[in-house]
Amino acid sequence: MSKTFPQIASLLLGMGIVQLGNGLLTTVISLRMKIEQFPPEIIGLVLACYFAGQMVAARTLPRIVERVGPVRTFVAAAALLAAAALSQILLVTAVVWTVLRAATGYGMAGLNMVVESWLNTRATNENRGEVLALYMIMVYLATGLGQFLLNVASPAGFELFALATVLITLGLIPVALTRAPAPVFGERSSLGFRAPYRISPLGLVGVLGTGLVNGSFYGLGPIFARDIGLDDMGVSSFMGVTIIAGLAMQ
């Protein structure tokens, strides 16, 4: 592991910075829709489109990686993510936010796909678990800490959207400057739901259930915290402590 860590440190740092911004952005968007008095069903639709964008990315991004390579895919995904984050404060309407949240999910999936594949190529069979554990620690720690950036400014303004965009953009730098060789992808293959269900029915059902819970918590948790009377510090603590506690349990 001592030989592998220097090769993946920049990837972990870059994704950590990106997750600081993305974690902040997710909470700010929920609170801003509450402030703008979006109907509950519209809030749910906008938030769900983030994951819809990730599902589309899972089907289309492998072809893009094959055509332009992982590094260019990472840069393009980060640019899309940053542009969508900043555009949301310029056009505060339900229709536009629905599209932009889907674009945000698509861009985030692109970053995850490239970095996780990159880490897998750097890891060996002996230390793969350690490498992926470090990655998950960085992701959840940064996402949890990103919640406390909510106290920098009011969700009713533009500052937090700008801060999230800056962090997402800064996350590009460590990855772009890394000396670790870019991953080389093998032949692409597809995998539907039936194959993993045959291998582990409980695993697939458990993952689907966890996704339902996590999606609801990340999107609606800030609104719930606000509805029970918590201020910005209370909302950030409610979200941040829950995320970091989940990390500690792992």
Side-chain angles (χ1 to χ4, degrees):
M1 185 63 187
S2 59
K3 295 181 180 180
T4 303
F5 184 76
Q7 301 179 27
I8 65 173
S10 57
L11 302 177
L12 297 176
L13 176 61
M15 281 303 292
I17 298 173
V18 169
Q19 287 293 349
L20 276 173
N22 190 51
L24 169 63
L25 181 64
T26 301
T27 299
V28 171
I29 286 171
S30 297
L31 294 178
R32 186 57 181 267
M33 286 192 289
K34 177 72 173 177
I35 294 171
E36 299 291 340
Q37 298 183 337
F38 283 20
E41 60 272 14
I42 297 299
I43 293 177
L45 175 63
V46 171
L47 297 174
C49 281
Y50 175 84
F51 302 101
Q54 292 195 324
M55 291 177 64
V56 173
R59 298 293 298 178
T60 60
L61 275 173
R63 297 186 182 90
I64 296 175
V65 173
E66 285 181 346
R67 293 175 182 174
V68 303
V71 176
R72 290 180 179 178
T73 300
F74 183 91
V75 173
L80 176 63
L81 184 59
L86 192 58
S87 297
Q88 285 176 296
I89 195 57
L90 301 177
L91 299 165
V92 186
T93 66
V95 174
V96 172
W97 276 31
T98 299
V99 175
L100 291 177
R101 282 308 285 166
T104 302
Y106 193 97
M108 196 67 221
L111 300 187
N112 290 334
M113 180 180 296
V114 172
V115 170
E116 290 171 17
S117 300
W118 210 326
L119 291 174
N120 265 305
T121 60
R122 294 297 93 203
T124 65
N125 290 336
E126 289 74 25
N127 65 14
R128 194 174 310 278
E130 293 178 87
V131 169
L132 296 180
L134 283 175
Y135 171 72
M136 295 308 299
I137 288 171
M138 179 63 76
V139 167
Y140 278 101
L141 182 61
T143 303
L145 294 178
Q147 307 304 309
F148 294 95
L149 295 175
L150 181 66
N151 300 284
V152 172
S154 171
F158 73 91
E159 294 88 352
L160 293 178
F161 288 86
L163 176 59
T165 304
V166 169
L167 289 170
I168 291 169
T169 306
L170 288 176
L172 273 172
I173 297 175
V175 179
L177 297 181
T178 182
R179 293 189 296 175
V184 178
F185 293 94
E187 183 178 351
R188 177 167 51 89
S189 60
S190 60
L191 183 67
F193 285 101
R194 294 182 180 180
Y197 182 78
R198 285 196 298 267
I199 296 171
S200 177
L202 180 60
L204 181 61
V205 173
V207 167
L208 291 174
T210 302
L212 289 171
V213 173
N214 284 344
S216 299
F217 171 75
Y218 281 109
L220 301 177
I223 297 176
F224 168 78
R226 183 71 85 202
D227 283 344
I228 63 175
L230 298 183
D231 58 9
D232 288 347
M233 177 57 76
V235 173
S236 61
S237 298
F238 174 80
M239 296 296 296
V241 170
T242 305
I243 294 171
I244 294 174
L247 169 62
M249 287 298 294
Q250 294 197 50

